[in-house]
Structure formats: C-alpha cells, structure tokens
Amino acid sequence: MTVDRARVERLTRELLEAIGENPDRPGLKQTPSRMAELYAELFAGVDEDPATHLARTISVTRGPAPETLASGAVLLRDIRFRSVCEHHLLPFAGLAHLAYLPGEQVVGLGALVKVVETLASRPQVQERLGEQIADAVDEHLDTRGVLVVLDASHGCVTMRGGRQPMASTVTIAARGAFVEPAARAELIALIGGHGE
C-alpha cells in the first residue's frame, strides 16, 4: 500500500480547521499537498522489504579479490537517518553505525544504507528500529555477528515535554558474536572515537 495522498490532503485540511486555522489562507493553501508529499516520502518504507537490498551478495572466496578476505568486522559508521516516532508523529534523526562479521558472502556497503533507510521510513521507535536492522542483516546475510548502534535526537524530547535540545538517545542491538559486551568493545570504541 502506498500513501493515500488525497486522503492525507483532506485530513490535513481538517486538522488545520481543528486547530482554528483557515486552510484557504495564502500561507496554508499549499500545506495539504505539501503534507501529502512529505508523508509519502517519510513513510515510503512501510510496505518495502529490507531484505531485497541484501539479495545481491559477493562471494569472498570466489570473488574478484579472494586474497583480501576480511579477518574482522566490517563497520559502516555515520549513516544518517531520519524517522517518525509512532507515539507523537514527531521526527527523530541521527546516525546509525552498523557492523557485521562476514562469513562467505558480503554485500555492497550501499545495501546496508538502504536497509537502514527502508526500516527508518516507517512509524518507528528507536529501540525497535535498531532491532529490525540487526535482524534484517543477521537473517539475510551470511554473518557471524551483527552490531547496530543508533544515536538520535527525538522531537518528542527536544520540542515538547522536557524540551532538552541537546539530548540524544543511544541504543544497541547485537546478534551472534556481538551479543557479549566484551566482544563488541573494540567496535564501540571505533564508533565513539572516530572523530578524535
């Protein structure tokens, strides 16, 4: 199912009226169509299967450079993402750091970015988003371990309630070899210290 843009437009007009605004005034006249376009973009991942991005793998032993096998984890840092919190429909955004211990098959790094983007393009909570990313990589790639660290700022914390503009939330999801904190300590250090 794709976003029903016409319905979003109607509901946006109704919402504007419900808060006492005139949806026909010049500043708001295009808002319903803009909201429909925005929601189509923000929620494009609702019906998309993240596994499709992991379908094209490369054999590390029979691939183009078998002498360059990775002996450790593959870590992709600073994947920018944005999502919408399902509790208040306010945005949250930040950085995803994704690592995996490859087995026989690896995947292009862009595919990992697509997995993050697909799963973030749904109404979400950060904790579940990290778990879904870890599950997708763990279940659809040949891995011995997966680690996902998300660091995000939430509109429900920065713009309402406690109004803490500098606050961010960090979550960790781990599978396989990275379930034990000691096993992931090196990666956590690499994620946290790369800007130094």
Side-chain angles (χ1 to χ4, degrees):
M1 177 191 144
T2 58
V3 171
D4 183 341
R5 292 178 185 223
R7 188 171 183 193
V8 171
E9 287 190 38
R10 286 193 308 274
L11 292 171
T12 302
R13 281 188 62 82
E14 189 176 326
L15 176 64
L16 289 170
E17 290 168 351
I19 65 169
E21 265 292 356
N22 174 7
D24 293 318
R25 75 173 172 84
L28 293 174
K29 195 166 185 71
Q30 297 302 314
T31 298
S33 64
R34 288 183 186 122
M35 287 296 292
E37 185 176 328
L38 171 68
Y39 273 38
E41 181 181 328
L42 287 177
F43 301 120
V46 168
D47 289 326
E48 188 176 348
D49 182 358
T52 61
H53 305 297
L54 300 172
R56 294 183 56 185
T57 60
I58 304 159
S59 169
V60 292
T61 56
R62 295 183 312 275
E67 67 280 359
T68 60
L69 294 178
S71 61
V74 174
L75 170 60
L76 184 58
R77 298 185 297 206
D78 298 339
I79 304 167
R80 292 196 178 280
F81 75 93
R82 54 96 181 110
S83 192
V84 175
C85 175
E86 66 185 30
H87 297 153
H88 299 97
L89 294 182
L90 286 172
F92 68 96
L95 298 174
H97 313 284
L98 197 162
Y100 74 100
L101 278 170
E104 163 60 23
Q105 301 288 318
V106 294
V107 70
L109 298 175
L112 299 174
V113 173
K114 288 290 192 186
V115 169
V116 172
E117 290 174 344
T118 297
L119 291 167
S121 296
R122 304 171 174 188
Q124 278 288 11
V125 293
Q126 182 173 330
E127 299 86 342
R128 183 177 64 228
L129 176 59
E131 296 294 332
Q132 288 177 339
I133 295 166
D135 285 342
V137 174
D138 187 51
E139 293 169 13
H140 301 286
L141 281 186
D142 178 21
T143 68
R144 294 172 283 137
V146 178
L147 178 67
V148 177
V149 178
L150 302 179
D151 185 351
S153 177
H154 292 252
C156 57
V157 174
T158 62
M159 299 181 340
R160 63 169 302 280
R163 294 186 185 145
Q164 296 297 312
M166 301 305 291
S168 73
T169 301
V170 176
T171 56
I172 297 173
R175 303 289 181 272
F178 296 131
V179 169
E180 292 300 321
R184 61 184 180 235
E186 178 184 20
L187 291 172
I188 296 293
L190 286 170
I191 291 167
H194 75 279
E196 296 172 0

